[in-house]
Amino acid sequence: MSFAKQIKQELCNTQNDSIVALKALFYGLALFAGPFSHPQGECTSENEFVANLYGEMLQTHLNCKYQIRSNGEKSKKRTYTVCTPAPYKEKLLKYFGYTGHEPSLRIHPTLIDDEEQRAAFLRGAFLACGHITDPRKSYHMEFVVPYLHLSQDLAALIEQVLIKPKIILRKGMHVVYFKDSANIEDMLTIMGAVKSTLEMMDIKIYKDVRNNANRITNCETANIDKTVTASQQQIEDIEYIRQTRGLDCLTPELREIAALRLENPEMSLRELGAMLEKPISRSGLNHRLNRLRKIAQDLRESRKEAGR
């Protein structure tokens, strides 16, 4: 089961105690699932739980009989349509205070004027036209609305309980959306999907830990590569000194470091410094290795001049 379907199943099973909250949930479902604009008032959903919930709402609030029809298991995009008798749409519009002759479909704020009603209405709206991306992949929650004014009303309503979402036009539809994980978690909690919110938070924590581990690993790998590259250059310089003049030409402190580096090519400067008879800091060891590099450079320059 996808994360989006799991959330909708949880929201369908969430119970509201008050009658006004149930009416607000029914209102959100009906307004965004199609019955207000469909000629026969049909409601169509890709989610079987949503279709069943809408049918139950019809029976509870309008005492209306209904049938749920599916386009069949063979269809690539299976849908469920809640069908009702002809007079139903008139009853629906009247129940929510509409005439059917409104110039544009808008949200009636008087039907959702307290916190409980707004939360239930948003739950219904999400069940009807909402979608959420699997948080394992990315963070994105959206409501796909066919009408501009209706999308603007929805965004304004969401702003009352959270923050104002963004709206974009996609394929002729107005998409009200969030991309911030914290806002999505808050919205899920407001709508009543507490279990899914906790799961999303767990996924985010896991992703953060994994990303931090990857960053640490990459950093350590980069440091190792840097150490190996520097060590190879140091060994080349020391070998050049040994082949041209011998390590006996070096001072005792440089000779000790040269021998340690040849024996321990994989060690960091800090580790090498700790192995000296008189341990020194990383910067102190780096200074002495730079002196060895200078000696090797001078020997190379002298050899070039002698060959001219």
Side-chain angles (χ1 to χ4, degrees), residues 49-264:
F49 300 107
V50 174
N52 286 328
L53 178 63
Y54 186 74
E56 292 171 8
M57 290 290 171
L58 284 175
Q59 200 166 43
T60 301
H61 294 272
L62 300 181
N63 193 27
C64 182
K65 296 180 180 179
Y66 67 92
Q67 289 183 334
I68 297 179
R69 297 173 183 170
S70 170
N71 58 354
E73 295 183 2
K74 294 182 179 180
S75 175
K76 292 182 179 179
K77 191 175 182 180
R78 192 172 186 184
T79 57
Y80 301 87
T81 301
V82 183
C83 304
T84 55
Y88 145 74
K89 185 175 179 180
E90 293 180 11
K91 292 177 65 175
L92 177 72
L93 292 172
K94 186 176 180 180
Y95 185 69
F96 291 114
Y98 291 79
T99 65
H101 302 293
E102 287 80 9
S104 62
L105 197 58
R106 307 294 296 264
I107 296 174
H108 286 180
T110 55
L111 296 176
I112 45 173
D113 58 2
D114 66 28
E115 185 177 338
E116 183 185 20
Q117 288 173 310
R118 285 190 287 268
F121 177 84
L122 289 172
R123 183 189 313 158
F126 182 79
L127 288 172
C129 67
H131 180 71
I132 186 169
T133 304
D134 190 329
R136 295 173 184 83
K137 300 176 181 177
S138 63
Y139 301 116
H140 183 89
M141 172 188 250
E142 66 182 29
F143 299 77
V144 182
V145 185
Y147 307 112
L148 175 60
H149 290 149
L150 191 58
S151 69
Q152 292 172 337
D153 287 352
L154 178 61
L157 178 63
I158 292 173
E159 188 177 11
Q160 293 181 38
V161 299
L162 193 56
I163 66 166
K164 188 173 183 178
K166 295 182 179 179
I167 304 178
I168 59 170
L169 185 65
R170 184 206 299 155
K171 297 180 180 178
M173 303 293 279
H174 303 276
V175 181
V176 181
Y177 71 96
F178 292 110
K179 279 188 173 295
D180 181 81
S181 60
N183 290 330
I184 294 172
E185 290 165 5
D186 290 342
M187 179 58 72
L188 289 175
T189 302
I190 289 168
M191 294 189 301
V194 178
K195 182 179 178 182
S196 296
T197 302
L198 293 175
E199 182 177 344
M200 182 173 174
M201 293 172 69
D202 286 343
I203 291 170
K204 186 167 73 171
I205 291 171
Y206 171 77
K207 286 172 66 176
D208 288 343
V209 171
R210 184 187 62 190
N211 290 339
N212 287 335
N214 288 339
R215 280 193 289 269
I216 291 171
T217 300
N218 292 338
C219 183
E220 289 177 346
T221 300
N223 288 337
I224 291 171
D225 291 342
K226 186 177 178 181
T227 297
V228 170
T229 301
S231 175
Q232 289 174 343
Q233 183 59 54
Q234 292 157 7
I235 290 172
E236 287 179 11
D237 291 339
I238 293 168
E239 286 288 357
Y240 189 79
I241 295 171
R242 181 164 65 179
Q243 292 170 11
T244 55
R245 292 190 59 186
L247 298 182
D248 290 338
C249 71
L250 301 173
T251 62
E253 62 181 19
L254 293 183
R255 192 162 56 245
E256 181 185 13
I257 290 173
L260 273 176
R261 174 46 89 199
L262 291 174
E263 294 170 2
N264 304 280

